Structures are given as C-alpha cells and as structure tokens.
Amino acid sequence: MYPSLHLYINGEFIDGQGRKTEDVFNPAHNTVLGKLPHARTADLDQALGAAQDAFETWSRTSPMERSSILRRVGALIRERADAIARALTMDQGKPLAESKAEVLSCADHAEWHAEECRRIYGRVIPARRPNIHQTVVRQPVGVCAAFTPWNFPLSQAIRKAAAAIGSGCTLILKGPEDAPSSVLALAQIFHDAGLPPGCLNVVWGVPSEVSDHLIRSPIVRKISFTGSVPVGKKLASLASLHMKRTTMELGGHSPVLVFDDADIDRAVSQLVAYKSRNAGQVCVAPSRFYVQEGAYARFLERFVEAYSAQTIGDGLAPETTMGPLAHARRVDTMAHLVRDAMDRGAETKCGGERLERPGNFFLPTVLAGAPDDSLVMTEEPFGPVVPITSFKTREEAIRRANSLPYGLASYVFTESLSNARFASDNLEAGMVNVNHFGIALPETPFGGVKDSGIGHEGGQETFDGYLVTKFISEMSSPY
Ligand code: NAD
C-alpha cells in the first residue's frame, strides 16, 4: 500500500481539501500511486507564521532536549524502516535493498546530529584589560527554508532537518514532488517524537513558485538547496538579493582516475557497484572515467562485462539490481548524451538505448573514446551512462579532471602512494576517495567546491550554516 499524501503545517497533517493536486507516479510502470496536494499561498504563509512562532521557544530549548528528540527520531526511523523503504522504492524506483540502506543511513544521521548538537560551543577571547570579558556565542539563525531533490528523498531531507532542528532553528521543507512518501514519513516521525508544532513544516507545489515565495519572505533567514547547478545558482542569486545565508549542495561530474598500477579487478567491482547505485542518479556518482594507457583495454573490457550484467526491473522485485530512472525526462537526457557522443566519434560498448517496456528504463551504457568536449564528458549525466577514455601522464589526468566547473567528488585508483598523494593534493573537488568509496557518512563533511556548491552537510561543519556568530564584550566593575 502506498501511503496517503499531505501537507504538514504547524503540527497538522492537511489533505487536499479542494487544493490543486499532482499525480505521483511509479517510475517502474508509469502508473499513478497517489495525489499530492499543493500548498496554496495561504498555506505557505501559515507555515511561515508557524515556523516564526515556534522559533521563539525552540531556539531557547536546551540542546539536551533537542538531542533527545533527534534520538527518538533515529529510533523511529529504524522501527519503521521496512514500510518507508517500500514506499520509497514505489515512488522513486531504486531497488528495495538500496531504499532500506538509505532509510537506515538516515537513522544514523539523526543519531549523530543528536550527539553533535550538544557540542555547539562558543569561545572565550582573552581581553586586553582585566575587567573586560569577551565571548563568542553561536546562536540559531532563525527560520530556514529547504528544498530537497528526488534522488535520495529521505536522506537529503534528514540532513537538512536534523541540522536545522539540532541547532535550534525551525524549518519549512519543500521536498520532491516526484517522490514524496519518505519525506512525509519523516514528518510523521518528528511529530511522533514530540517535536513541537511549527518547528518542522512540509509543503509541496510548483518548485519555482514555492521557493520564490519562501526566499522573498522576510521571515526566512537561511536557504538550503540540494539539486542541479542551474537551479542552485538561481536560488542563490535570489537569496543574495535579500542577503540570506545559503547552503548549496549542487551537481557534480565526478572524475575517476585509474592508474596503470591500480588493482584493476578491485577498481572495476567497486566502480560498477557505485555507478549502478540508484541507476547513476547520484550527485557523487563516478561519471567521467580516465584510465591510464597501460590499463585502458583491460579496464574497459572488464568494466563493460560487469556493468552490462545488471538485472533491470521494478525495484520491488528481489532480483533487481538496477531500477528505472526517476522520470521520463532522464531517459530522454541519456539518449541525447549517447547520440551526441556517437556523433563525435565515441563507440558504444554496451547499452545505448532505452528498454522498450513501460517505465523509465535505460540500459547500462559504456561509451569509449568520447572526446573531452562531448556533452557526456562536460555535463552531469545523472544516469547509467559511463564515458571511458585514456590518459598518458598524471599531470594530463589532473588537468582534464579539473577542466570542468564542477568540483564535488573524485575517485582515484592506484597502488602508488605518490600517485595517490599527487591526485588528492591537486584534484579540485570537495571530496577525494582513494581506492574505495568513503563519503556521505554523518560524521564526515559532504560538500563541493566551484559550481558544485557552498557549505557542508555532515561532519563538525554540519551546523555551521544554521548558526550565527555573536561576539559579546562585557565590562564588569573592578573588584
Ligand atoms: P531540475 O534542475 O529541474 O531539478 C533539480 C531539483 O531541483 C528537483 O528536485 C526540482 O524539484 C528542484 N527545483 C527545480 N527548480 C526549482 C526551483 N525554482 N526552486 C526550488 N526547487 C527547484 O532537474 P531534474 O531533471 O529534476 O534533475 C536532474 C538534475 O538535477 C541532474 O542533472 C542533477 O544535476 C540535479 N540533481 C542533483 C542532485 C544532487 O544531489 N545534487 C539531486 C537531484 C538532482
């Protein structure tokens, strides 16, 4: 059963009641799962008012209370993981095991934020005179607005909700209209965990209309967005017009450097697993492969063999290893990228076309020799298409890897400490992985450089975007 869909404002779950609704589809069959109510302007204003009122008290609650609510959130996510994961697969498409892993990782995020929010420290600055006391305190910024995408609907939502709630802020969250079930399950969990009304509000609508209304509102002090670079730039420029803080987790086009001396079998098995995840719809998916000449032919052959051996289908079927793309427009984008690369001389080693059946399926595709200026090498593919090309020297590999405006994740496979060090020092990326995939844990900072974004989620940095720094200088009477 797919759950019914609501707005969540001021502690109440509100259904359609004459509001405009939007169909939510199962991308494996293109059948309608449910109807999602859009917030009216009055609903958005109610959410703004509720978040503002709630901030008055929530910002003054003790970190211990915030911590214990986040702990309960973590426990409830674990308790409800099976049902949340099932609905997530139905509206987003990823295989059930991946949905379950996503849900459980969100429990980790809630629990880690529960611990870390008790450690939002200030500092004391030694003064120049004995009766002066200088302190720096960090206070919650205020009402926040967050916009989260459909590729990891729950995990993108919990990162923002846990950081905002843990720091003492209140939040209006516009989740992904394409895959809303897990975000509403999260709202229910915060509700059941005892979060006071108004601290978290969940709204839906036409993304540009909702974001425009919320960002322009003087009540909102901070914007957090995860999504594409063009949309991020649009929202960041509107936020800057109104002098609002932003956290921007935007797209990437992650280079993979495979050196001659790498353990090729290990590299292939890890890269196939990571690239197949969520059918490649991951902002940190390995997406531009540069393989050193001596290993190129061997790597290409083994990668094609392993990557094309996917069982594609409905994510609820236990044998499925790769589900559908989240919506039809992604399938069109994949076909366009392949066509462009082939027109420019690339060779399709496997896949290259959609699966002719209902649902948004595209075959795992490997393109050999796509030139550096082809679309697939320059624009984030966000799907199951892998361009593989060769390089001669490590300097050349770094130059080509750094040639795009993106700077999110990067991957290096080598057995040489010197190559590993050279690559990690010189890659322009917010995150570098050597010989494995080790990012997006709650305790590690996640974020990009260049066009890939501003700020971090996770790690000690997770609360930075939700806090303002206040300096207090006091003069006491001499004693
Ligand atoms: P898109 O650019 O239309 O939308 C991306 C996301 O932003 C969606 O969740 C959408 O609802 C939201 N959005 C769009 N316009 C908005 C606005 N004006 N205000 C607020 N939110 C808005 O692209 P798409 O086809 O949905 O997704 C594909 C692209 O999005 C990919 O190429 C990828 O770059 C990017 N993406 C990135 C991430 C990430 O984790 N960084 C996640 C999902 C999508």
Side-chain angles (χ1 to χ4, degrees):
M1 277 291 284
Y2 188 74
S4 55
L5 302 169
H6 309 275
L7 301 158
Y8 178 62
I9 298 174
N10 201 20
E12 284 184 24
F13 290 89
I14 302 166
D15 61 25
Q17 293 166 350
R19 291 172 177 81
K20 188 182 157 207
T21 59
E22 171 175 352
D23 287 343
V24 175
F25 289 91
N26 180 333
H29 307 283
N30 280 334
T31 47
V32 175
L33 292 166
K35 294 204 175 293
L36 184 69
H38 279 198
R40 298 174 176 140
T41 304
D43 297 322
L44 297 179
D45 289 337
Q46 195 199 344
L48 285 163
Q52 187 177 35
D53 292 346
F55 181 73
E56 289 302 311
T57 41
W58 186 247
S59 57
R60 292 181 173 79
T61 50
S62 92
M64 306 305 153
E65 190 177 336
R66 291 182 226 149
S67 174
S68 74
I69 286 185
L70 285 171
R71 254 180 219 295
R72 284 203 288 280
V73 167
L76 287 172
I77 292 174
R78 286 185 200 286
E79 248 177 70
R80 300 177 192 179
D82 286 331
I84 299 172
R86 206 177 156 75
L88 200 163
T89 287
M90 289 170 84
D91 62 20
Q92 201 278 338
K94 66 182 69 174
L96 190 55
E98 287 186 33
S99 294
K100 184 85 183 280
E102 176 177 345
V103 175
L104 293 178
S105 80
C106 293
D108 282 354
H109 274 276
E111 288 158 359
W112 187 83
H113 281 80
E115 291 159 15
E116 202 63 13
C117 77
R118 298 165 57 171
R119 304 186 189 107
I120 297 175
Y121 300 133
R123 68 186 196 274
V124 175
I125 300 176
R128 295 177 177 208
R129 289 178 14 215
N131 58 334
I132 301 289
H133 305 276
Q134 302 183 133
T135 50
V136 177
V137 294
R138 303 176 83 207
Q139 297 182 321
V141 60
V143 174
C144 305
F147 308 94
T148 54
W150 44 264
N151 60 339
F152 290 92
L154 186 61
S155 114
Q156 307 282 15
I158 189 75
R159 283 156 180 265
K160 297 184 194 311
I165 297 301
S167 60
C169 294
T170 57
L171 180 67
I172 303 168
L173 172 65
K174 191 203 77 61
E177 286 75 16
D178 326 65
S181 65
S182 60
V183 178
L184 281 168
L186 185 66
Q188 185 71 57
I189 282 173
F190 270 104
H191 185 88
D192 296 345
L195 185 71
C199 290
L200 171 67
N201 304 273
V202 174
V203 297
W204 315 100
V206 175
S208 56
E209 292 172 11
V210 177
S211 59
D212 196 72
H213 191 78
L214 296 181
I215 296 173
R216 285 179 196 279
S217 165
I219 291 172
V220 170
R221 297 287 177 82
K222 187 233 158 63
I223 317 298
S224 181
F225 172 73
T226 299
S228 62
V229 171
V231 175
K233 285 184 173 174
K234 211 152 83 185
L235 300 192
S237 50
L238 183 57
S240 76
L241 262 185
H242 298 269
M243 205 48 76
K244 296 184 181 183
R245 286 158 188 264
T246 56
T247 298
M248 292 283 151
E249 296 288 356
L250 307 181
H253 198 344
S254 306
V256 180
L257 273 45
V258 181
F259 286 88
D260 282 345
D261 57 39
D263 178 335
I264 297 299
D265 287 338
R266 215 170 100 229
V268 166
S269 79
Q270 294 205 37
L271 286 162
V272 165
Y274 214 59
K275 179 68 192 178
S276 306
R277 201 169 146 235
N278 205 8
Q281 302 165 111
V282 183
C283 55
V284 291
S287 53
R288 294 179 279 149
F289 288 42
Y290 301 92
V291 183
Q292 204 164 15
E293 280 179 337
Y296 179 73
R298 201 157 37 110
F299 179 90
L300 184 62
E301 185 191 335
R302 290 185 194 177
F303 187 88
V304 169
E305 191 186 341
Y307 190 50
S308 54
Q310 305 281 342
T311 307
I312 299 171
D314 183 336
L316 288 181
E319 66 278 11
T320 296
T321 57
M322 191 190 280
L325 299 186
H327 29 65
R329 62 181 182 272
R330 302 288 339 133
V331 178
D332 296 339
T333 304
M334 295 308 110
H336 183 55
L337 294 178
V338 171
R339 219 175 308 116
D340 173 79
M342 290 184 66
D343 287 349
R344 294 168 191 252
E347 199 184 333
T348 304
K349 292 290 187 182
C350 64
E353 55 196 14
R354 65 188 75 211
L355 254 184
E356 288 310 331
R357 58 185 264 185
N360 310 323
F361 294 97
F362 199 85
L363 286 168
T365 299
V366 175
L367 297 166
D372 282 1
D373 62 353
S374 58
L375 289 179
V376 74
M377 291 295 281
T378 51
E379 291 184 9
E380 182 177 26
F382 225 67
V385 176
V386 182
I388 303 183
T389 184
S390 65
F391 71 90
K392 283 190 173 61
T393 65
R394 63 189 189 182
E395 289 75 13
E396 175 202 339
I398 294 291
R399 179 181 51 71
R400 291 168 70 192
N402 289 345
S403 65
L404 299 188
Y406 297 104
L408 194 56
S410 55
Y411 302 95
V412 182
F413 287 86
T414 178
E415 294 297 302
S416 147
L417 186 58
S418 166
N419 281 341
R421 179 58 44 212
F422 181 80
S424 350
D425 282 350
N426 290 293
L427 280 165
E428 293 173 356
M431 295 165 282
V432 181
N433 293 263
V434 180
N435 290 331
H436 86 139
F437 297 89
I439 53 180
L441 300 166
E443 63 273 23
T444 59
F446 185 101
V449 298
K450 297 161 82 178
D451 275 5
S452 291
I454 300 171
H456 289 90
E457 292 178 337
Q460 281 180 351
E461 292 83 349
T462 201
F463 295 112
D464 290 351
Y466 295 87
L467 298 167
V468 286
T469 297
K470 184 183 276 179
F471 170 62
I472 303 169
S473 181
E474 294 170 308
M475 182 190 278
S476 58
S477 319
Y479 55 86

